[in-house]
Amino acid sequence: MLAGRAPEHGREAAARAEQLCIRAAEACPADPTPWIALLSLLRAMRVPVRHAKPVWNEIAVRDPWNRHAHHELLHYISPRECGSLVGMSGFARRVAETAPHGSPLALLPLAARTEHYGHRLRPGSPDALGAGTHWHGPGVAEEIDTALTRWFDTPAQPHAQAMADLNLLAFALIRTQRLPEAARAFRRIGRHMTLYPWDLAQVQNPDHDPVGTFLYWSARETGS
């Protein structure tokens, strides 16, 4: 969103973006979009998360299961940004447990795990050497089963970020060596790769080729 990039142009641009969000919210009281844009702006400005709570409440009243808003907040409260691993993981788990059947928010714990994985891979991280075990810890299988049974295997309506969610799921299935299920995800993805999360290894190794990695696994698992 443009609001999220406004801080790159200075405080005045950020202040103007904030006023635009507020005016849009006043003009369309039932629409959560201006509030999501404001959340994105606060995140980009690194405003402490506690100050964003009223904005999140406005979103929740209007669209309690908005996929984009939940992912925006997840990254906001992640250890790579303004939060902590405990807070991010707890939030993701609570959402997945209460989201309606068929909601893509069933993948939120996997999104949190993937975000934590990226945090571990960052240059100079003391956890980088042990990152290979990240996908074999307690709770991983349950998170994947939830994503499969409560979203992937349901007759849910397609949504705008479906390919992003499918790529995230395929990445997690490869990492956990659940290859038959990964093949099903890759068949649904086709050639619609999203850069994230395949680019995470570039955090550790700039020479890593995310496109090549995606194509390798896709061809291997689908036989194409």
Side-chain angles (χ1 to χ4, degrees):
M1 284 185 177
L2 291 175
R5 296 197 297 268
E8 298 173 7
H9 303 286
R11 289 184 176 273
E12 290 186 6
R16 286 195 300 271
E18 182 178 4
Q19 288 303 312
L20 287 172
C21 291
I22 293 171
R23 289 175 193 168
E26 292 171 347
C28 303
D31 188 355
T33 306
W35 295 104
I36 298 172
L38 185 55
L39 181 69
S40 177
L41 176 63
L42 296 176
R43 175 189 167 196
M45 293 174 65
R46 294 295 192 267
V47 173
V49 175
R50 65 182 182 277
H51 296 308
K53 192 172 189 288
V55 175
W56 177 253
N57 291 341
E58 296 288 351
I59 296 168
V61 166
R62 290 163 175 80
D63 190 358
W65 305 114
N66 185 285
R67 186 261 182 209
H68 177 68
H70 279 81
H71 279 262
E72 191 75 25
L73 184 61
L74 183 81
H75 289 283
Y76 194 172
I77 64 175
S78 73
R80 282 209 281 183
E81 295 194 14
C82 298
S84 66
L85 173 60
V86 171
M88 176 184 68
S89 299
F91 167 72
R93 185 172 57 253
R94 290 191 300 273
V95 170
E97 289 172 351
T98 55
H101 196 72
S103 169
L105 292 176
L107 278 81
L108 209 61
L110 282 183
R113 185 171 295 276
T114 305
E115 174 64 20
H116 182 209
Y117 182 62
H119 181 62
R120 294 185 67 172
L121 290 177
R122 72 194 188 282
S125 169
D127 297 327
L129 290 177
T133 64
H134 181 82
W135 295 97
H136 303 285
V140 182
E142 181 181 356
E143 291 167 5
I144 290 179
D145 288 342
T146 296
L148 291 170
T149 60
R150 293 184 60 84
W151 178 68
F152 185 78
D153 290 329
T154 68
Q157 291 294 322
H159 61 283
Q161 295 297 318
M163 285 302 153
D165 288 335
L166 285 169
N167 274 263
L168 180 70
L169 179 60
F171 180 83
L173 290 167
I174 289 296
R175 291 289 173 178
T176 53
Q177 300 179 5
R178 294 177 63 158
L179 302 184
E181 292 148 315
R184 294 170 55 213
F186 278 115
R187 280 193 289 270
R188 197 175 295 183
I189 291 168
R191 293 287 174 170
H192 300 289
M193 172 200 169
T194 56
L195 190 59
Y196 180 86
W198 305 102
D199 63 343
L200 279 179
Q202 282 186 314
V203 176
Q204 193 174 38
N205 181 3
D207 295 327
H208 175 76
D209 177 19
V211 176
T213 300
F214 170 83
L215 292 176
Y216 167 79
W217 284 109
S218 177
R220 171 175 161 165
E221 299 311 315
T222 63
S224 60

